[in-house]
């Protein structure tokens, strides 16, 4: 299995631009998670899907952030418009089964830099 | 809401020496506890987890952790570190039943950066 796949690995953009991060979970996993990692705040859970349905998005920082999961093999995290404070590493993870206690497998992350 | 504290931001250990990384949690009931490792440029990999039962948990790569309820701790240990263990280590806690609220979700500590001296 290829594991969780994220693209791009690195993204540099200018303030105000739209940014789309992509994630392909492990085949057969039905839960998907988006995390953000910064030096100041550590690792934070942004949103969690189960069977393609968003279960909890209370970790999403503000309306500029949105996430979708149109099918079981693909999810996007979009930031529009982007701001310098959005610079972080964004991780996607997937697990088998609902809830947070199944083993989560993390992707390599997307390092986002907003200038 | 639960919280996790990793008191040591950086730890330096000589290769071959023993290692202990500290993790303290705050949660009203019995939590589910995890240790993850993040190698440079990589995603997170689960080292071990504790749900119930034996309080000494064995993980991958020779790591173990001990759940101590009285101390609200879940410290990670390894008897002899290797240079390849240099990485960032994250402790995480989840409630027994995820209620769906963000504040009750999986919470990570800020991480401990492990440096291995030759």
């Amino acid at each position: 299995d290829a594991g969780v796949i994220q693209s791009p690995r690195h993204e540099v953009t200018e303030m105000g631009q739209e940014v789309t991060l992509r994630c392909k979970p492990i085949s057969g996993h039905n839960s998907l998670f988006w995390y953000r990692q910064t030096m100041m705040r550590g690792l934070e859970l942004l949103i969690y899907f189960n069977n393609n349905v968003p279960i909890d998005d209370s970790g999403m920082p503000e309306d500029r952030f949105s996430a979708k999961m149109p099918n079981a093999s693909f999810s996007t995290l979009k930031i529009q418009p982007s701001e310098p404070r959005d610079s972080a590493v964004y991780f996607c993870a997937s697990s088998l089964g609902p809830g947070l206690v199944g083993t989560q497998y993390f992707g390599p992350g997307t390092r986002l830099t907003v200038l | 809401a639960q919280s996790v504290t990793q008191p040591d931001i950086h730890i330096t250990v000589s290769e071959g020496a023993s290692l202990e990384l500290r993790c303290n949690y705050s949660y009203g009931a019995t939590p589910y506890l995890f240790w993850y490792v993040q190698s440079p440029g990589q995603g997170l990999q689960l080292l071990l987890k504790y749900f119930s039962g034996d309080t000494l948990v064995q993980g991958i790569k020779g790591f173990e952790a001990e759940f101590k309820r009285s101390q609200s701790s879940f410290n990670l240990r390894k008897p002899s570190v290797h240079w390849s263990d240099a990485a960032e280590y994250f402790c995480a806690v989840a409630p027994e039943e995820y209620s769906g609220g963000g504040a009750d979700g999986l919470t990570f500590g800020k991480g401990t950066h492990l440096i291995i001296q030759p």
Side-chain angles (χ1 to χ4, degrees):
Chain A
D1 196 314
V4 175
I5 299 172
Q6 291 186 247
S7 65
R9 292 295 309 276
H10 302 272
E11 176 80 35
V12 180
T13 190
E14 293 187 344
M15 182 174 62
Q17 296 299 306
E18 177 180 296
V19 175
T20 299
L21 310 181
R22 298 172 176 80
C23 175
K24 176 177 167 52
I26 292 173
S27 177
H29 283 189
N30 55 13
S31 292
L32 183 140
F33 310 81
W34 282 101
Y35 293 88
R36 178 173 66 176
Q37 182 182 28
T38 62
M39 289 296 293
M40 292 298 295
R41 300 176 67 90
L43 199 63
E44 303 171 280
L45 177 64
L46 299 179
I47 187 170
Y48 152 49
F49 292 87
N50 182 240
N51 291 326
N52 312 337
V53 176
I55 302 301
D56 175 34
D57 66 355
S58 59
M60 297 284 263
E62 47 194 276
D63 292 344
R64 296 184 297 105
F65 285 68
S66 62
K68 294 182 179 180
M69 192 165 185
N71 58 62
S73 59
F74 184 65
S75 177
T76 60
L77 177 67
K78 185 177 294 186
I79 308 172
Q80 167 62 22
S82 59
E83 296 182 2
R85 60 193 170 117
D86 301 330
S87 298
V89 179
Y90 291 82
F91 286 101
C92 177
S94 70
S95 70
L96 186 63
L100 288 174
V101 295
T103 299
Q104 292 184 34
Y105 296 84
F106 283 75
T110 294
R111 181 174 295 277
L112 173 64
T113 302
V114 183
L115 303 175
Chain B
Q2 67 267 24
S3 66
V4 179
T5 302
Q6 292 181 247
D8 305 304
I9 298 175
H10 301 277
I11 281 189
T12 301
V13 178
S14 298
E15 189 168 15
S18 62
L19 169 71
E20 182 169 30
L21 302 182
R22 296 184 291 166
C23 173
N24 294 98
Y25 67 90
S26 173
Y27 182 63
T30 300
Y32 289 174
L33 295 159
F34 309 79
W35 273 100
Y36 284 87
V37 61
Q38 182 181 17
S39 298
Q42 303 294 315
L44 283 82
Q45 181 182 23
L46 180 67
L47 285 176
L48 48 80
K49 57 187 177 184
Y50 171 77
F51 288 171
S52 64
D54 193 344
T55 56
L56 185 61
V57 181
Q58 300 298 319
I60 63 171
K61 303 185 179 186
F63 286 91
E64 66 178 27
E66 186 171 12
F67 170 58
K68 292 185 177 180
R69 184 189 303 275
S70 61
Q71 299 177 18
S72 296
S73 69
F74 189 58
N75 294 348
L76 182 71
R77 300 194 295 249
K78 187 170 185 178
S80 177
V81 297
H82 186 262
W83 64 267
S84 60
D85 294 324
E88 192 86 14
Y89 291 80
F90 293 91
C91 181
V93 60
E96 185 171 356
E97 182 176 345
Y98 181 59
S99 68
D104 295 327
L106 190 63
T107 302
F108 287 83
K110 293 281 185 72
T112 297
H113 185 61
L114 177 62
I115 300 166
I116 306 296
Q117 281 184 336

